[in-house]
Each structure stands twice: as structure tokens, then as C-alpha cells.
Amino acid sequence: GRQNLSTPAADVKGTLSFFPVSQTLTFDPKTNYTAGIVIHSGTRQVIGADVLIHFDPKMVVIDPKVSAGTVFEQSPISKVDNTAGTITLGFLNFQPRVADGILATFKYKVKGVGNARFWFDYDPGSKTDSNIVDKNQEDILANIDNAFYTFK
């Protein structure tokens, strides 16, 4: 008999990452540094994303104006809390589509020499953390890449 060598396309799940993921920079208290948030929904068409980011407010001050990319049609939630050390973002599509690219960018200042970390609040299966929601209302977020920046 004949063997079927065709395999179904892999059902690639979603990823959230920072851009760049790591870097070493020269500390300057006046400089506005920039970081990007990148989304990949793989093969899935998505209708929304919730992004919760943590940072150390003793090290970093985030500019409250976060710039949304063009991956989603709307970004109704954008909140920076420099006391708690959180960034909360929400994105919507009215028509489901593959999400691949820069979700948002933010500017920040650093308070001194040392390490600045940005990390996603992500717990697989949780509905109250970072999520990428496909057209079937399923959370497809499966991978995250957190950021680690060194300032010298």
C-alpha cells in the first residue's frame, strides 16, 4: 500500500515578546529609551489581546503614552502605573485576523546604573493575565520572551 507522507500544518500557538529581548546600554538619566512588544499568533486568527507587564518602579519610569502598533484595529486599554510597576494594555479586532508584528512601543527612563527587567504576567490557563484570544474565544498564548536590559 501507499504511505501518506503529507502531515497537517502545525497549529502554531501565540507568542508575546519584547524587542529587543536583551541589550546593554550606557546609562543617561535624560534619555528616553524605547522598547517594543511583539505579537505572533502563528496560524490563528485573533480577535483580542490582553497584555500585563511588570517592571521595577525603583529602576524605571514609563512614559504613560504607550503607542499602539497596527496589528489590531483598536487599543481601548492603555494604563501605566509607575507606583505599582505595571503596564496594562488591551487590543481588539472586529474582523479576526492573524496578528504578527509590533503590538505597541513604550518609552522609559532609567533611574540609575543596573538592570531593568520587563516581564509579562503569564500563567498558562489563567484568564486574568496576558492572553491572545482567537476567533473561537480560546487563549492561544503559549510562549513569552521577557526583557532584560543592563545599564552601565
Side-chain angles (χ1 to χ4, degrees):
R2 301 184 102 201
Q3 211 176 356
N4 183 356
L5 298 177
S6 67
T7 55
D11 184 19
V12 180
K13 294 259 187 165
T15 301
L16 286 173
S17 60
F18 288 94
F19 180 80
V21 169
S22 67
Q23 62 182 341
T24 300
L25 298 162
T26 303
F27 168 69
D28 177 0
K30 294 186 208 79
T31 297
N32 277 310
Y33 299 95
T34 302
I37 304 160
V38 178
I39 186 170
H40 296 290
S41 68
T43 55
R44 303 286 194 96
Q45 292 188 328
V46 296
I47 57 170
D50 298 313
V51 180
L52 277 74
I53 295 167
H54 295 280
F55 61 92
D56 180 355
K58 290 187 214 86
M59 182 68 185
V60 174
V61 178
I62 307 288
D63 183 323
K65 187 175 177 348
V66 176
S67 302
T70 57
V71 177
F72 282 89
E73 295 171 63
Q74 291 207 332
S75 53
I77 300 168
S78 179
K79 196 171 89 191
V80 172
D81 185 333
N82 277 304
T83 304
T86 58
I87 304 171
T88 306
L89 305 171
F91 302 90
L92 291 172
N93 277 335
F94 297 109
Q95 292 295 111
R97 60 183 178 190
V98 169
D100 195 22
I102 296 186
L103 193 55
T105 56
F106 61 92
K107 294 191 180 310
Y108 63 97
K109 289 191 178 202
V110 181
K111 296 181 180 180
V113 170
N115 296 321
R117 291 175 48 229
F118 299 100
W119 66 97
F120 295 104
D121 186 336
Y122 173 63
D123 185 19
S126 171
K127 300 280 187 232
T128 59
D129 63 351
S130 298
N131 295 288
I132 302 172
V133 181
D134 76 0
K135 64 183 180 181
N136 302 319
Q137 305 285 320
E138 183 188 346
D139 179 8
I140 63 162
L141 180 57
N143 297 294
I144 55 164
D145 284 317
N146 293 320
F148 189 86
Y149 305 148
T150 301
F151 291 87
K152 294 185 172 181

Tab-separated table of all heavy atoms in Angstrom, residues 73-136:
chain	number	residue	atom	x	y	z
A	73	GLU	N	-7.114	46.482	15.359
A	73	GLU	CA	-7.904	47.632	14.923
A	73	GLU	C	-8.080	48.672	16.014
A	73	GLU	O	-8.130	49.859	15.738
A	73	GLU	CB	-9.278	47.154	14.427
A	73	GLU	CG	-9.187	46.291	13.178
A	73	GLU	CD	-10.513	45.652	12.832
A	73	GLU	OE1	-11.469	46.395	12.539
A	73	GLU	OE2	-10.592	44.415	12.872
A	74	GLN	N	-8.199	48.237	17.259
A	74	GLN	CA	-8.388	49.173	18.362
A	74	GLN	C	-7.560	48.772	19.567
A	74	GLN	O	-7.301	47.593	19.789
A	74	GLN	CB	-9.864	49.226	18.780
A	74	GLN	CG	-10.756	49.876	17.752
A	74	GLN	CD	-11.974	50.506	18.400
A	74	GLN	OE1	-12.438	50.071	19.448
A	74	GLN	NE2	-12.500	51.533	17.771
A	75	SER	N	-7.173	49.789	20.352
A	75	SER	CA	-6.451	49.536	21.614
A	75	SER	C	-7.125	50.360	22.713
A	75	SER	O	-6.648	51.420	23.083
A	75	SER	CB	-4.972	49.893	21.474
A	75	SER	OG	-4.828	51.209	20.982
A	76	PRO	N	-8.272	49.856	23.208
A	76	PRO	CA	-9.068	50.639	24.156
A	76	PRO	C	-8.484	50.746	25.565
A	76	PRO	O	-8.863	51.637	26.308
A	76	PRO	CB	-10.407	49.897	24.195
A	76	PRO	CG	-10.077	48.494	23.810
A	76	PRO	CD	-8.914	48.586	22.859
A	77	ILE	N	-7.559	49.851	25.923
A	77	ILE	CA	-6.996	49.885	27.276
A	77	ILE	C	-5.505	50.154	27.190
A	77	ILE	O	-4.769	49.444	26.504
A	77	ILE	CB	-7.250	48.553	28.016
A	77	ILE	CG1	-8.742	48.282	28.123
A	77	ILE	CG2	-6.598	48.582	29.405
A	77	ILE	CD1	-9.066	46.872	28.569
A	78	SER	N	-5.078	51.221	27.886
A	78	SER	CA	-3.660	51.556	27.948
A	78	SER	C	-3.427	52.296	29.250
A	78	SER	O	-3.767	53.464	29.380
A	78	SER	CB	-3.261	52.426	26.754
A	78	SER	OG	-1.899	52.758	26.834
A	79	LYS	N	-2.877	51.572	30.231
A	79	LYS	CA	-2.700	52.147	31.560
A	79	LYS	C	-1.302	51.844	32.084
A	79	LYS	O	-0.875	50.692	32.097
A	79	LYS	CB	-3.756	51.576	32.501
A	79	LYS	CG	-3.925	52.349	33.791
A	79	LYS	CD	-5.133	51.852	34.568
A	79	LYS	CE	-4.694	50.721	35.474
A	79	LYS	NZ	-5.765	49.979	36.098
A	80	VAL	N	-0.601	52.897	32.500
A	80	VAL	CA	0.723	52.745	33.093
A	80	VAL	C	0.620	53.157	34.558
A	80	VAL	O	0.070	54.207	34.870
A	80	VAL	CB	1.756	53.638	32.372
A	80	VAL	CG1	3.087	53.633	33.111
A	80	VAL	CG2	1.935	53.187	30.926
A	81	ASP	N	1.138	52.308	35.449
A	81	ASP	CA	1.157	52.618	36.876
A	81	ASP	C	2.612	52.573	37.341
A	81	ASP	O	3.172	51.502	37.559
A	81	ASP	CB	0.302	51.620	37.654
A	81	ASP	CG	0.179	51.961	39.134
A	81	ASP	OD1	1.103	52.611	39.681
A	81	ASP	OD2	-0.824	51.560	39.744
A	82	ASN	N	3.222	53.766	37.462
A	82	ASN	CA	4.627	53.852	37.845
A	82	ASN	C	4.851	53.645	39.334
A	82	ASN	O	5.993	53.587	39.782
A	82	ASN	CB	5.223	55.184	37.379
A	82	ASN	CG	5.658	55.121	35.928
A	82	ASN	OD1	6.442	54.266	35.544
A	82	ASN	ND2	5.128	56.019	35.114
A	83	THR	N	3.783	53.534	40.127
A	83	THR	CA	3.915	53.212	41.549
A	83	THR	C	3.935	51.701	41.737
A	83	THR	O	4.799	51.149	42.421
A	83	THR	CB	2.760	53.837	42.359
A	83	THR	OG1	2.755	55.246	42.111
A	83	THR	CG2	2.940	53.600	43.836
A	84	ALA	N	2.983	51.014	41.093
A	84	ALA	CA	2.891	49.549	41.206
A	84	ALA	C	3.882	48.836	40.287
A	84	ALA	O	4.197	47.672	40.493
A	84	ALA	CB	1.471	49.094	40.889
A	85	GLY	N	4.354	49.538	39.247
A	85	GLY	CA	5.257	48.899	38.293
A	85	GLY	C	4.529	48.010	37.310
A	85	GLY	O	4.939	46.882	37.061
A	86	THR	N	3.412	48.536	36.735
A	86	THR	CA	2.635	47.734	35.780
A	86	THR	C	2.236	48.551	34.549
A	86	THR	O	2.033	49.754	34.624
A	86	THR	CB	1.348	47.182	36.419
A	86	THR	OG1	0.557	48.272	36.894
A	86	THR	CG2	1.648	46.214	37.549
A	87	ILE	N	2.146	47.846	33.439
A	87	ILE	CA	1.568	48.373	32.203
A	87	ILE	C	0.448	47.411	31.837
A	87	ILE	O	0.661	46.196	31.769
A	87	ILE	CB	2.587	48.432	31.052
A	87	ILE	CG1	3.823	49.248	31.441
A	87	ILE	CG2	1.947	48.979	29.785
A	87	ILE	CD1	4.960	49.171	30.434
A	88	THR	N	-0.763	47.941	31.625
A	88	THR	CA	-1.923	47.123	31.257
A	88	THR	C	-2.414	47.601	29.894
A	88	THR	O	-2.751	48.775	29.727
A	88	THR	CB	-3.050	47.282	32.294
A	88	THR	OG1	-2.522	46.991	33.591
A	88	THR	CG2	-4.208	46.340	31.994
A	89	LEU	N	-2.459	46.684	28.929
A	89	LEU	CA	-2.869	47.023	27.562
A	89	LEU	C	-3.941	46.050	27.082
A	89	LEU	O	-3.890	44.865	27.405
A	89	LEU	CB	-1.667	46.944	26.615
A	89	LEU	CG	-0.434	47.774	26.993
A	89	LEU	CD1	0.733	47.421	26.093
A	89	LEU	CD2	-0.739	49.258	26.914
A	90	GLY	N	-4.882	46.568	26.308
A	90	GLY	CA	-5.918	45.723	25.715
A	90	GLY	C	-6.105	46.076	24.251
A	90	GLY	O	-6.079	47.260	23.883
A	91	PHE	N	-6.281	45.063	23.411
A	91	PHE	CA	-6.388	45.249	21.964
A	91	PHE	C	-7.566	44.459	21.416
A	91	PHE	O	-7.869	43.372	21.915
A	91	PHE	CB	-5.100	44.767	21.285
A	91	PHE	CG	-3.871	45.474	21.770
A	91	PHE	CD1	-3.158	44.985	22.850
A	91	PHE	CD2	-3.437	46.643	21.170
A	91	PHE	CE1	-2.029	45.636	23.323
A	91	PHE	CE2	-2.314	47.312	21.632
A	91	PHE	CZ	-1.607	46.809	22.709
A	92	LEU	N	-8.214	44.999	20.355
A	92	LEU	CA	-9.385	44.356	19.747
A	92	LEU	C	-9.321	44.383	18.226
A	92	LEU	O	-8.856	45.361	17.640
A	92	LEU	CB	-10.666	45.109	20.141
A	92	LEU	CG	-11.132	45.040	21.585
A	92	LEU	CD1	-12.282	46.017	21.784
A	92	LEU	CD2	-11.556	43.629	21.913
A	93	ASN	N	-9.844	43.324	17.627
A	93	ASN	CA	-10.120	43.279	16.192
A	93	ASN	C	-11.607	43.027	16.013
A	93	ASN	O	-12.179	42.181	16.703
A	93	ASN	CB	-9.370	42.127	15.510
A	93	ASN	CG	-7.941	42.474	15.174
A	93	ASN	OD1	-7.594	43.642	15.009
A	93	ASN	ND2	-7.109	41.456	15.068
A	94	PHE	N	-12.231	43.736	15.094
A	94	PHE	CA	-13.639	43.454	14.779
A	94	PHE	C	-13.727	42.302	13.795
A	94	PHE	O	-14.666	41.524	13.822
A	94	PHE	CB	-14.326	44.706	14.240
A	94	PHE	CG	-14.358	45.805	15.258
A	94	PHE	CD1	-13.570	46.931	15.116
A	94	PHE	CD2	-15.144	45.695	16.404
A	94	PHE	CE1	-13.579	47.934	16.074
A	94	PHE	CE2	-15.162	46.682	17.362
A	94	PHE	CZ	-14.375	47.806	17.192
A	95	GLN	N	-12.731	42.183	12.924
A	95	GLN	CA	-12.625	41.055	12.000
A	95	GLN	C	-11.429	40.215	12.443
A	95	GLN	O	-10.322	40.748	12.529
A	95	GLN	CB	-12.382	41.552	10.574
A	95	GLN	CG	-13.561	42.288	9.966
A	95	GLN	CD	-14.751	41.371	9.787
A	95	GLN	OE1	-15.746	41.525	10.462
A	95	GLN	NE2	-14.654	40.419	8.891
A	96	PRO	N	-11.624	38.919	12.701
A	96	PRO	CA	-10.492	38.073	13.101
A	96	PRO	C	-9.404	38.077	12.031
A	96	PRO	O	-9.703	38.049	10.833
A	96	PRO	CB	-11.099	36.676	13.228
A	96	PRO	CG	-12.563	36.895	13.372
A	96	PRO	CD	-12.879	38.164	12.637
A	97	ARG	N	-8.151	38.165	12.467
A	97	ARG	CA	-7.034	38.116	11.530
A	97	ARG	C	-5.776	37.674	12.264
A	97	ARG	O	-5.694	37.767	13.483
A	97	ARG	CB	-6.824	39.457	10.843
A	97	ARG	CG	-6.516	40.604	11.772
A	97	ARG	CD	-6.394	41.902	10.981
A	97	ARG	NE	-6.146	43.022	11.871
A	97	ARG	CZ	-6.176	44.268	11.494
A	97	ARG	NH1	-6.449	44.571	10.252
A	97	ARG	NH2	-5.936	45.241	12.341
A	98	VAL	N	-4.820	37.195	11.487
A	98	VAL	CA	-3.533	36.792	12.050
A	98	VAL	C	-2.843	38.044	12.581
A	98	VAL	O	-2.863	39.091	11.939
A	98	VAL	CB	-2.667	36.088	10.977
A	98	VAL	CG1	-1.242	35.894	11.455
A	98	VAL	CG2	-3.294	34.756	10.587
A	99	ALA	N	-2.276	37.941	13.770
A	99	ALA	CA	-1.563	39.063	14.394
A	99	ALA	C	-0.077	38.749	14.388
A	99	ALA	O	0.359	37.783	15.014
A	99	ALA	CB	-2.070	39.284	15.818
A	100	ASP	N	0.675	39.555	13.670
A	100	ASP	CA	2.095	39.293	13.515
A	100	ASP	C	2.817	40.623	13.367
A	100	ASP	O	2.735	41.249	12.321
A	100	ASP	CB	2.299	38.424	12.268
A	100	ASP	CG	3.677	37.806	12.222
A	100	ASP	OD1	4.308	37.676	13.273
A	100	ASP	OD2	4.117	37.465	11.109
A	101	GLY	N	3.492	41.073	14.429
A	101	GLY	CA	4.221	42.331	14.320
A	101	GLY	C	4.273	43.080	15.630
A	101	GLY	O	4.086	42.511	16.707
A	102	ILE	N	4.513	44.380	15.532
A	102	ILE	CA	4.663	45.204	16.729
A	102	ILE	C	3.291	45.563	17.288
A	102	ILE	O	2.488	46.219	16.635
A	102	ILE	CB	5.493	46.455	16.425
A	102	ILE	CG1	6.905	46.007	16.040
A	102	ILE	CG2	5.523	47.388	17.636
A	102	ILE	CD1	7.898	47.092	15.847
A	103	LEU	N	3.046	45.084	18.492
A	103	LEU	CA	1.781	45.334	19.176
A	103	LEU	C	1.762	46.754	19.724
A	103	LEU	O	0.764	47.469	19.621
A	103	LEU	CB	1.645	44.320	20.310
A	103	LEU	CG	0.320	44.145	20.998
A	103	LEU	CD1	-0.785	43.834	20.007
A	103	LEU	CD2	0.425	43.048	22.036
A	104	ALA	N	2.872	47.178	20.333
A	104	ALA	CA	2.965	48.518	20.914
A	104	ALA	C	4.429	48.825	21.211
A	104	ALA	O	5.267	47.925	21.267
A	104	ALA	CB	2.145	48.593	22.199
A	105	THR	N	4.706	50.115	21.400
A	105	THR	CA	6.023	50.545	21.871
A	105	THR	C	5.822	51.488	23.046
A	105	THR	O	4.787	52.165	23.139
A	105	THR	CB	6.839	51.255	20.778
A	105	THR	OG1	6.091	52.358	20.271
A	105	THR	CG2	7.193	50.321	19.640
A	106	PHE	N	6.786	51.505	23.929
A	106	PHE	CA	6.728	52.435	25.051
A	106	PHE	C	8.109	53.019	25.302
A	106	PHE	O	9.126	52.420	24.968
A	106	PHE	CB	6.165	51.777	26.313
A	106	PHE	CG	6.940	50.610	26.842
A	106	PHE	CD1	7.934	50.795	27.793
A	106	PHE	CD2	6.671	49.322	26.400
A	106	PHE	CE1	8.655	49.720	28.294
A	106	PHE	CE2	7.385	48.234	26.905
A	106	PHE	CZ	8.379	48.444	27.846
A	107	LYS	N	8.098	54.224	25.859
A	107	LYS	CA	9.346	54.906	26.208
A	107	LYS	C	9.513	54.864	27.723
A	107	LYS	O	8.530	54.843	28.455
A	107	LYS	CB	9.312	56.349	25.723
A	107	LYS	CG	9.296	56.471	24.206
A	107	LYS	CD	9.527	57.903	23.785
A	107	LYS	CE	9.517	58.087	22.289
A	107	LYS	NZ	10.341	57.208	21.530
A	108	TYR	N	10.764	54.837	28.161
A	108	TYR	CA	11.027	54.799	29.598
A	108	TYR	C	12.343	55.494	29.910
A	108	TYR	O	13.205	55.634	29.051
A	108	TYR	CB	11.047	53.350	30.108
A	108	TYR	CG	12.140	52.487	29.529
A	108	TYR	CD1	13.330	52.293	30.218
A	108	TYR	CD2	11.987	51.869	28.287
A	108	TYR	CE1	14.335	51.497	29.695
A	108	TYR	CE2	12.986	51.074	27.762
A	108	TYR	CZ	14.156	50.896	28.459
A	108	TYR	OH	15.154	50.116	27.935
A	109	LYS	N	12.450	55.940	31.138
A	109	LYS	CA	13.699	56.489	31.665
A	109	LYS	C	14.195	55.558	32.762
A	109	LYS	O	13.403	54.891	33.420
A	109	LYS	CB	13.480	57.891	32.229
A	109	LYS	CG	13.230	58.910	31.143
A	109	LYS	CD	13.270	60.327	31.661
A	109	LYS	CE	13.057	61.231	30.472
A	109	LYS	NZ	13.489	62.544	30.559
A	110	VAL	N	15.509	55.541	32.924
A	110	VAL	CA	16.132	54.692	33.926
A	110	VAL	C	16.687	55.579	35.029
A	110	VAL	O	17.230	56.646	34.761
A	110	VAL	CB	17.250	53.838	33.279
A	110	VAL	CG1	17.896	52.937	34.295
A	110	VAL	CG2	16.678	53.020	32.138
A	111	LYS	N	16.524	55.141	36.281
A	111	LYS	CA	16.924	55.962	37.432
A	111	LYS	C	18.389	55.827	37.809
A	111	LYS	O	18.899	56.642	38.572
A	111	LYS	CB	16.045	55.623	38.638
A	111	LYS	CG	14.580	55.966	38.413
A	111	LYS	CD	13.756	55.644	39.638
A	111	LYS	CE	12.295	55.989	39.435
A	111	LYS	NZ	11.499	55.681	40.626
A	112	GLY	N	19.057	54.789	37.309
A	112	GLY	CA	20.464	54.615	37.674
A	112	GLY	C	21.092	53.437	36.958
A	112	GLY	O	20.450	52.756	36.163
A	113	VAL	N	22.357	53.206	37.258
A	113	VAL	CA	23.082	52.080	36.696
A	113	VAL	C	22.504	50.790	37.298
A	113	VAL	O	22.136	50.757	38.470
A	113	VAL	CB	24.586	52.217	37.035
A	113	VAL	CG1	25.347	50.957	36.683
A	113	VAL	CG2	25.165	53.422	36.323
A	114	GLY	N	22.393	49.768	36.491
A	114	GLY	CA	21.878	48.487	36.981
A	114	GLY	C	21.071	47.774	35.917
A	114	GLY	O	21.223	48.046	34.726
A	115	ASN	N	20.216	46.850	36.361
A	115	ASN	CA	19.430	46.035	35.438
A	115	ASN	C	17.972	46.463	35.444
A	115	ASN	O	17.398	46.690	36.502
A	115	ASN	CB	19.515	44.560	35.822
A	115	ASN	CG	20.930	44.032	35.692
A	115	ASN	OD1	21.654	44.381	34.768
A	115	ASN	ND2	21.344	43.215	36.639
A	116	ALA	N	17.414	46.571	34.253
A	116	ALA	CA	15.987	46.860	34.100
A	116	ALA	C	15.340	45.646	33.462
A	116	ALA	O	15.787	45.181	32.415
A	116	ALA	CB	15.785	48.097	33.230
A	117	ARG	N	14.322	45.123	34.130
A	117	ARG	CA	13.600	43.962	33.611
A	117	ARG	C	12.177	44.369	33.291
A	117	ARG	O	11.557	45.131	34.029
A	117	ARG	CB	13.564	42.833	34.643
A	117	ARG	CG	14.891	42.176	34.896
A	117	ARG	CD	14.798	41.138	36.018
A	117	ARG	NE	13.664	40.239	35.849
A	117	ARG	CZ	12.787	39.958	36.822
A	117	ARG	NH1	12.881	40.503	38.004
A	117	ARG	NH2	11.807	39.123	36.601
A	118	PHE	N	11.648	43.822	32.208
A	118	PHE	CA	10.224	43.916	31.885
A	118	PHE	C	9.753	42.484	31.696
A	118	PHE	O	10.377	41.720	30.969
A	118	PHE	CB	9.998	44.715	30.595
A	118	PHE	CG	10.484	46.138	30.681
A	118	PHE	CD1	11.694	46.503	30.129
A	118	PHE	CD2	9.725	47.101	31.314
A	118	PHE	CE1	12.147	47.812	30.204
A	118	PHE	CE2	10.160	48.415	31.408
A	118	PHE	CZ	11.375	48.767	30.852
A	119	TRP	N	8.669	42.123	32.372
A	119	TRP	CA	8.206	40.743	32.228
A	119	TRP	C	6.686	40.700	32.134
A	119	TRP	O	5.991	41.501	32.731
A	119	TRP	CB	8.753	39.844	33.321
A	119	TRP	CG	8.295	40.100	34.724
A	119	TRP	CD1	7.294	39.448	35.389
A	119	TRP	CD2	8.813	41.059	35.657
A	119	TRP	NE1	7.163	39.942	36.657
A	119	TRP	CE2	8.082	40.926	36.847
A	119	TRP	CE3	9.832	42.022	35.584
A	119	TRP	CZ2	8.326	41.723	37.967
A	119	TRP	CZ3	10.068	42.812	36.691
A	119	TRP	CH2	9.324	42.655	37.862
A	120	PHE	N	6.227	39.740	31.325
A	120	PHE	CA	4.793	39.540	31.122
A	120	PHE	C	4.204	38.785	32.301
A	120	PHE	O	4.815	37.841	32.797
A	120	PHE	CB	4.524	38.738	29.842
A	120	PHE	CG	4.941	39.457	28.589
A	120	PHE	CD1	6.094	39.092	27.921
A	120	PHE	CD2	4.170	40.490	28.080
A	120	PHE	CE1	6.489	39.741	26.760
A	120	PHE	CE2	4.556	41.148	26.921
A	120	PHE	CZ	5.716	40.776	26.259
A	121	ASP	N	3.032	39.206	32.745
A	121	ASP	CA	2.255	38.451	33.719
A	121	ASP	C	1.621	37.322	32.914
A	121	ASP	O	0.723	37.559	32.097
A	121	ASP	CB	1.198	39.351	34.355
A	121	ASP	CG	0.452	38.664	35.487
A	121	ASP	OD1	0.399	37.422	35.510
A	121	ASP	OD2	-0.089	39.386	36.340
A	122	TYR	N	2.132	36.113	33.077
A	122	TYR	CA	1.654	34.995	32.273
A	122	TYR	C	1.648	33.714	33.082
A	122	TYR	O	2.669	33.303	33.627
A	122	TYR	CB	2.541	34.814	31.032
A	122	TYR	CG	2.212	33.574	30.233
A	122	TYR	CD1	0.963	33.429	29.636
A	122	TYR	CD2	3.135	32.552	30.102
A	122	TYR	CE1	0.649	32.283	28.917
A	122	TYR	CE2	2.838	31.408	29.370
A	122	TYR	CZ	1.601	31.277	28.789
A	122	TYR	OH	1.292	30.146	28.078
A	123	ASP	N	0.482	33.114	33.173
A	123	ASP	CA	0.289	31.844	33.848
A	123	ASP	C	-0.594	31.004	32.928
A	123	ASP	O	-1.766	31.348	32.723
A	123	ASP	CB	-0.391	32.078	35.205
A	123	ASP	CG	-0.525	30.801	36.017
A	123	ASP	OD1	0.187	29.826	35.728
A	123	ASP	OD2	-1.356	30.796	36.937
A	124	PRO	N	-0.065	29.942	32.313
A	124	PRO	CA	-0.857	29.158	31.357
A	124	PRO	C	-2.219	28.761	31.932
A	124	PRO	O	-2.304	28.279	33.052
A	124	PRO	CB	0.012	27.930	31.088
A	124	PRO	CG	1.403	28.379	31.389
A	124	PRO	CD	1.275	29.388	32.501
A	125	GLY	N	-3.268	29.022	31.178
A	125	GLY	CA	-4.623	28.667	31.604
A	125	GLY	C	-5.356	29.769	32.344
A	125	GLY	O	-6.572	29.726	32.469
A	126	SER	N	-4.627	30.767	32.838
A	126	SER	CA	-5.271	31.852	33.585
A	126	SER	C	-5.966	32.819	32.630
A	126	SER	O	-5.489	33.069	31.524
A	126	SER	CB	-4.233	32.607	34.414
A	126	SER	OG	-4.818	33.762	34.969
A	127	LYS	N	-7.091	33.372	33.072
A	127	LYS	CA	-7.829	34.354	32.259
A	127	LYS	C	-7.576	35.784	32.745
A	127	LYS	O	-8.104	36.735	32.197
A	127	LYS	CB	-9.339	34.067	32.325
A	127	LYS	CG	-9.721	32.695	31.818
A	127	LYS	CD	-9.775	32.666	30.317
A	127	LYS	CE	-10.330	31.357	29.813
A	127	LYS	NZ	-9.502	30.726	28.823
A	128	THR	N	-6.777	35.947	33.813
A	128	THR	CA	-6.573	37.277	34.386
A	128	THR	C	-5.148	37.792	34.157
A	128	THR	O	-4.714	38.724	34.812
A	128	THR	CB	-6.859	37.256	35.902
A	128	THR	OG1	-5.991	36.302	36.515
A	128	THR	CG2	-8.305	36.886	36.181
A	129	ASP	N	-4.440	37.186	33.215
A	129	ASP	CA	-3.069	37.593	32.922
A	129	ASP	C	-2.985	38.014	31.457
A	129	ASP	O	-3.976	38.415	30.870
A	129	ASP	CB	-2.107	36.442	33.238
A	129	ASP	CG	-2.369	35.209	32.374
A	129	ASP	OD1	-3.397	35.178	31.662
A	129	ASP	OD2	-1.549	34.284	32.404
A	130	SER	N	-1.806	37.926	30.868
A	130	SER	CA	-1.653	38.219	29.445
A	130	SER	C	-2.283	37.084	28.634
A	130	SER	O	-2.096	35.915	28.957
A	130	SER	CB	-0.167	38.346	29.087
A	130	SER	OG	0.415	39.422	29.786
A	131	ASN	N	-3.053	37.458	27.597
A	131	ASN	CA	-3.752	36.481	26.761
A	131	ASN	C	-3.766	36.940	25.312
A	131	ASN	O	-3.788	38.139	25.048
A	131	ASN	CB	-5.223	36.340	27.204
A	131	ASN	CG	-5.356	35.767	28.597
A	131	ASN	OD1	-5.110	34.602	28.807
A	131	ASN	ND2	-5.738	36.611	29.547
A	132	ILE	N	-3.791	35.973	24.402
A	132	ILE	CA	-4.096	36.233	22.992
A	132	ILE	C	-5.313	35.379	22.690
A	132	ILE	O	-5.275	34.156	22.855
A	132	ILE	CB	-2.931	35.844	22.058
A	132	ILE	CG1	-1.641	36.599	22.428
A	132	ILE	CG2	-3.307	36.102	20.603
A	132	ILE	CD1	-0.404	36.121	21.676
A	133	VAL	N	-6.412	36.015	22.287
A	133	VAL	CA	-7.683	35.310	22.118
A	133	VAL	C	-7.995	35.134	20.635
A	133	VAL	O	-8.049	36.107	19.889
A	133	VAL	CB	-8.826	36.083	22.827
A	133	VAL	CG1	-10.137	35.339	22.674
A	133	VAL	CG2	-8.489	36.308	24.294
A	134	ASP	N	-8.210	33.873	20.245
A	134	ASP	CA	-8.528	33.618	18.834
A	134	ASP	C	-10.037	33.742	18.593
A	134	ASP	O	-10.810	34.019	19.513
A	134	ASP	CB	-7.961	32.268	18.367
A	134	ASP	CG	-8.736	31.059	18.857
A	134	ASP	OD1	-9.749	31.211	19.581
A	134	ASP	OD2	-8.325	29.932	18.516
A	135	LYS	N	-10.443	33.546	17.344
A	135	LYS	CA	-11.845	33.760	16.974
A	135	LYS	C	-12.802	32.773	17.639
A	135	LYS	O	-13.999	32.995	17.669
A	135	LYS	CB	-12.011	33.740	15.455
A	135	LYS	CG	-11.673	32.419	14.806
A	135	LYS	CD	-11.789	32.522	13.304
A	135	LYS	CE	-11.459	31.202	12.643
A	135	LYS	NZ	-11.543	31.298	11.192
A	136	ASN	N	-12.265	31.679	18.212
A	136	ASN	CA	-13.094	30.713	18.942
A	136	ASN	C	-13.080	30.985	20.442
A	136	ASN	O	-13.456	30.124	21.230
A	136	ASN	CB	-12.600	29.285	18.674
A	136	ASN	CG	-12.622	28.949	17.199
A	136	ASN	OD1	-13.563	29.299	16.488
A	136	ASN	ND2	-11.573	28.307	16.726
